[in-house]
Amino acid sequence: MIELNVVQPRTYRPDKWWVEPFAMALYFVFFTIYVIYVTLVAPLEESIQEWDTSSAGVNYISPFFSPDLKKFFGIDTPVVNIPGIGDWKVSPALLLIWAPLGFRATCYYGRKVIYRSFFWSPPACAVDGFAMRKGKYKGDGPGIFAIVHLHRYFFYLAFILAVFHWIDTFFAMQFRASDGSLAYGIGIGTLLSALDALFLTLYVISCHSFRHLMGGGANTPGTIRYWLWSKISKLNKYHGLWFWLSLFMIVIVDVYFRLVATGTITEVRWLF
Ligand code: FES
């Protein structure tokens, strides 16, 4: 028998329903700390060029630094003098991170994770949420939560980001030999980059906003818009899966590229 009290969420579920929201919250906390490290802490350390893999003879670029602002837009991030610390070259990741974070934070699935894991409103299906119990739940309409309606605009940015991730994968097939000549091939980093681009693309094109954009209101079978809507709907069923796979991949790829950039590991490559 489940014991009910004012602190414990009320439910008759006998299973360990709290494991999922707890595990998701843990990864979110880890990811937040990792983002802070990548954008603020790592650039302050001596190994400021950790994200630059060119010395390892490759063109890998971590998803956190994509698109390459310098290469594609000629933007060099500024150097800021911090009293007591010295010159700090602003990380490109800091200039870019708001777009993918905004996309994920306003995502229907991302919001479900946040509401369940952090607000416990509700923490799981058939479990009484705190906001509901107090009669405070008012949906996404009023106040600060209205910001989630910006999602469709974040979607456009995320779509562009996904395209750049594929461009990054193409450049991740270029290797520089010790004599400076250019060769094409596939390294472990190329494969990881391709997986990152693939999972991000699946996450982006399974977005509810994209589904609406492609086939919203198209109720007549036989039209291209209806066909697109039905295909995206199939992908949309697994939107949560793409959300997590792409979120895991960002960290995996970043860690791997750092290890290559710092010479910690020697990469396996196959040159054509
Ligand atoms: Fe999740 Fe748009 S609804 S990315």
Side-chain angles (χ1 to χ4, degrees):
M1 176 63 85
I2 304 273
E3 188 188 333
L4 304 179
N5 57 46
V6 286
V7 178
Q8 195 175 18
R10 291 179 301 205
T11 184
Y12 290 104
R13 281 181 63 170
D15 61 329
K16 293 187 169 39
W17 56 265
W18 48 269
V19 171
E20 187 179 303
F22 184 68
M24 289 174 172
L26 266 187
Y27 188 76
F28 265 36
V29 170
F30 162 76
F31 188 75
T32 304
I33 294 170
Y34 195 79
V35 166
I36 292 171
Y37 171 76
V38 169
T39 54
L40 296 173
V41 182
L44 275 173
E45 296 174 344
E46 276 186 39
S47 53
I48 188 169
Q49 296 302 337
E50 258 183 5
W51 63 77
D52 183 0
T53 54
S54 58
S55 59
V58 290
N59 271 324
Y60 297 160
I61 182 161
S62 156
F64 284 105
F65 300 89
S66 178
D68 189 329
L69 294 177
K70 179 97 170 122
K71 182 156 79 182
F72 294 112
F73 306 104
I75 298 172
D76 210 355
T77 54
V79 176
V80 180
N81 186 273
I82 302 178
I85 294 181
D87 284 347
W88 177 51
K89 187 169 170 48
V90 175
S91 166
L94 188 61
L95 301 184
L96 294 164
I97 196 71
W98 60 273
L101 283 191
F103 182 57
R104 285 180 187 271
T106 56
C107 160
Y108 285 98
Y109 180 80
R111 281 149 55 195
K112 173 181 157 186
V113 174
I114 292 168
Y115 294 158
R116 289 195 168 189
S117 303
F118 294 99
F119 300 160
W120 282 51
S121 292
C125 290
V127 180
D128 185 20
F130 294 140
M132 275 83 168
R133 198 182 311 173
K134 291 181 181 165
K136 286 189 174 168
Y137 181 73
K138 294 194 173 55
D140 286 331
I144 183 75
F145 290 104
I147 206 168
V148 298
H149 299 302
L150 291 175
H151 184 66
R152 69 193 66 178
Y153 301 106
F154 279 116
F155 164 78
Y156 299 132
L157 294 172
F159 192 90
I160 295 169
L161 283 181
V163 171
F164 271 105
H165 281 219
W166 284 111
I167 295 172
D168 295 339
T169 301
F170 170 74
F171 282 113
M173 296 173 72
Q174 292 181 339
F175 299 93
R176 202 155 283 285
S178 48
D179 64 356
S181 62
L182 196 64
Y184 282 86
I186 293 177
I188 299 292
T190 318
L191 298 175
L192 290 176
S193 179
L195 269 182
D196 162 68
L198 177 67
F199 289 148
L200 179 65
T201 303
L202 287 170
Y203 173 50
V204 170
I205 65 173
S206 64
C207 169
H208 296 68
S209 287
F210 187 56
R211 190 168 69 139
H212 180 74
L213 196 66
M214 289 295 107
N219 300 322
T220 320
T223 62
I224 291 181
R225 293 194 71 219
Y226 186 88
W227 181 83
L228 280 171
W229 173 83
S230 62
K231 296 295 171 213
I232 296 170
S233 294
K234 284 189 181 147
L235 278 180
N236 181 263
K237 259 171 79 178
Y238 303 100
H239 192 54
L241 177 67
W242 313 132
F243 175 95
W244 286 109
L245 287 178
S246 56
L247 202 59
F248 291 145
M249 234 23 233
I250 292 169
V251 175
I252 292 170
V253 174
D254 187 77
V255 169
Y256 181 80
F257 287 179
R258 278 171 197 276
L259 294 176
V260 172
T262 52
T264 312
I265 56 172
T266 308
E267 191 187 50
V268 178
R269 292 171 197 160
W270 299 272
L271 297 187
F272 301 146

